[in-house]
Amino acid sequence: MSRQAATNPHQYTLTIDEAAVRYEHAGHPRTIRTIQRYCAKGHLDCLRQETSFGDKYMITPESVARHIAQIAELASTTGRDMPRPAAIDVAREDGQELRSKDPPTSPDPPRPAAADDRYLAQLESENVFLKSQITSKDTQIAALLERDHETNALINGLQRMLGPLLGAPDAGRREGPPHQTEDQGRG
């Protein structure tokens, strides 16, 4: 059965919330998100308007009624679309634990010990390997730190040796303008 597309913009009178109320009154409650999906997939005739808060759909009442009829027909033939029992219907009001009507499931059999032993042995061997790696890395780090100290000592000695050759300033010598001598002041 083909459906007629609404062409008059004044036919789009329902908001998503109003459509949700119609679904609920018909006995087929739907969430806001579900109705939005119906609009996006073309199950309902609608106009989409972009707003600063997201998309807003305006829906024709005829398409909602047609879709509710389709859902009712589908539910009557397949038994689908039955509402789930609410928690209030299931839980006891006196606060006692609810006893299940279903028989208890059989307990899970314990794992074979051989699988646990192999798994444990694998974990232990990985731990031994990782501990040896840590020891090796610690040794390498200590050697690198020792070389770093040696390099610093060599560079300090080299700077001391090259200092006089490069004309480095003496510690007692002041930087700044030279002082005038008595001979220079008289002349």
Side-chain angles (χ1 to χ4, degrees):
M1 181 166 91
S2 64
R3 65 178 185 207
Q4 302 263 333
T7 57
N8 185 357
H10 298 293
Q11 290 177 321
Y12 300 95
T13 58
L14 295 178
T15 64
I16 296 278
D17 292 327
E18 292 166 343
V21 169
R22 289 192 180 206
Y23 278 99
E24 189 172 345
H25 287 305
H28 304 286
R30 298 293 189 260
T31 64
I32 300 298
R33 181 66 188 119
T34 299
I35 297 172
Q36 289 171 339
R37 280 195 302 269
Y38 289 160
C39 290
K41 291 182 178 181
H43 297 298
L44 299 173
D45 294 328
C46 63
L47 288 177
R48 187 183 85 180
Q49 300 169 343
E50 291 186 25
T51 67
S52 59
F53 298 108
D55 293 338
K56 177 181 177 183
Y57 290 98
M58 296 303 294
I59 308 167
T60 62
E62 296 80 22
S63 67
V64 173
R66 183 191 70 247
H67 195 248
I68 289 172
Q70 289 173 349
I71 292 171
E73 183 179 343
L74 181 67
S76 67
T77 59
T78 62
R80 291 181 60 190
D81 199 52
M82 299 301 293
R84 296 180 187 167
I88 297 170
D89 296 337
V90 177
R92 293 183 54 129
E93 292 183 14
D94 59 4
Q96 295 178 356
E97 285 189 39
L98 177 66
R99 302 213 190 267
S100 174
K101 296 176 187 175
D102 298 329
T105 59
S106 63
D108 290 334
R111 292 182 182 172
D116 287 342
D117 290 342
R118 283 183 286 164
Y119 181 69
L120 185 60
Q122 169 122 12
L123 287 176
E124 287 174 348
S125 70
E126 286 180 16
N127 281 345
V128 168
F129 171 74
L130 292 174
K131 285 179 182 179
S132 69
Q133 287 293 310
I134 289 174
T135 304
S136 173
K137 301 290 185 220
D138 287 344
T139 305
Q140 291 173 354
I141 290 171
L144 288 172
L145 287 174
E146 185 177 340
R147 285 190 194 105
D148 188 41
H149 290 298
E150 290 171 356
T151 302
N152 285 342
L154 289 173
I155 289 176
N156 284 337
L158 184 63
Q159 285 175 342
R160 274 186 262 123
M161 287 173 54
L162 292 177
L165 296 175
L166 296 175
D170 293 336
R173 193 170 142 189
R174 290 187 195 170
E175 302 242 348
H179 295 286
Q180 290 183 351
T181 60
E182 286 185 33
D183 294 336
Q184 291 173 344
R186 293 184 191 155

